[in-house]
Amino acid sequence: TIPNIALPELLGGNAATLGITVSSGAAYAEQRIQGLDFRSPAAVRPDARPEWRLNGSVQSLADGSLTIPVVPNTVTSTWYGREVSTDGFEAAFTYTVSDWNANSLAFGIAFVLQQSPAGFAAIGASGDALGYADMPGPKAGFLLTVRNGGTAPVLFAGVDDGSGSATSEQLGVLMGPVSVPLSYDAQPRTLSAVVTSTGIAQYTRTWTVDLPQLLGKQAIMGVTSGAMLSPSSNPTQTEP
């Protein structure tokens, strides 16, 4: 036992990077460490993730895929189990819609960061509100909306920068999975997105979004969804 080591004061907080350093001199030999076990009430194993919080009772989360089944007029929210930093991040997911038919009106998802007073229970309105609009408290989000084009589903994308007025641009007919990498740069306060999908010209945009000013140093991150009337299917796959 080594007394009087004040790690929080020494390392500047209640978390630190843990590791092992190794060296060898001229007379070197093979070195091996096995069975390493580190335990701490505040430690999270590299292969462990906090529990996701699901609101809406219809979605399921398994093997890194979030699925919203065939249920009309639904609204869901799915939040990562601990807050994330607003000081820059990267995220990526693939969005897939199956078995669309002409009875579909509007549905879709939003990638959201929020500081709602409802916390991990926060959820917005159904339909083309995507579970995002009408959610109380400060929030910002990247929105993908699928609307009825008459004979085919049409994809729209946009961002709400926290003002409550989301942009929306038509990307084209939805013909396959949609790949979306997102990145946030805290220095110029910009959110960038690249949307690619079969038959749709690559969509690249950068928006000014001041997340630290809007949400503080940390925020709750997750995905919301909404469906209007009777979409045949609205499955969503994410790899958070």
Side-chain angles (χ1 to χ4, degrees):
T1 300
I2 304 174
N4 302 323
I5 299 179
L7 289 179
E9 289 77 9
L10 176 66
L11 302 176
N14 59 6
T17 301
L18 170 72
I20 296 173
T21 63
V22 178
S23 67
S24 63
Y28 60 85
E30 180 182 281
Q31 303 175 77
R32 181 179 300 173
I33 298 172
Q34 294 177 298
L36 175 64
D37 185 23
F38 178 79
R39 300 182 184 184
S40 167
V44 179
R45 299 193 322 271
D47 61 343
R49 294 186 178 186
E51 180 180 356
W52 288 77
R53 315 294 179 87
L54 278 63
N55 306 298
S57 302
V58 297
Q59 75 271 47
S60 61
L61 180 63
D63 299 324
S65 294
L66 174 65
T67 302
I68 295 93
V70 186
V71 180
N73 301 318
T74 57
V75 57
T76 74
S77 65
T78 305
W79 304 114
Y80 190 53
R82 65 169 178 257
E83 292 191 348
V84 301
S85 173
T86 58
D87 188 24
F89 63 82
E90 293 183 352
F93 61 89
T94 299
Y95 176 64
T96 303
V97 172
S98 302
D99 303 325
W100 180 89
N101 64 43
N103 291 326
S104 305
L105 292 185
F107 53 91
I109 64 166
F111 177 88
V112 184
L113 288 104
Q114 53 95 350
Q115 278 292 5
S116 170
F120 293 101
I123 193 168
S126 64
D128 59 0
L130 308 185
Y132 176 82
D134 295 336
M135 182 189 304
K139 61 186 180 294
F142 174 79
L143 289 68
L144 287 176
T145 306
V146 181
R147 298 188 181 278
N148 193 326
T151 58
V154 179
L155 181 67
F156 293 76
V159 155
D160 172 26
D161 61 5
S163 64
S165 179
T167 64
S168 182
E169 297 181 71
Q170 181 174 324
L171 275 60
V173 174
L174 182 59
M175 301 173 63
V178 182
S179 175
V180 185
L182 298 168
S183 62
Y184 183 72
D185 192 334
Q187 193 63 266
R189 303 290 198 257
T190 55
L191 176 68
S192 298
V194 179
V195 179
T196 56
S197 184
T198 302
I200 292 177
Q202 181 173 291
Y203 172 87
T204 304
R205 294 289 186 276
T206 297
W207 302 269
T208 298
V209 185
D210 194 342
L211 291 179
Q213 176 67 30
L214 177 68
L215 304 172
K217 294 182 178 180
Q218 294 183 314
I220 296 172
M221 177 273 294
V223 176
T224 65
S225 78
M228 181 181 293
L229 289 184
S230 179
S232 175
S233 184
N234 182 19
T236 305
Q237 299 179 19
T238 64
E239 297 182 1

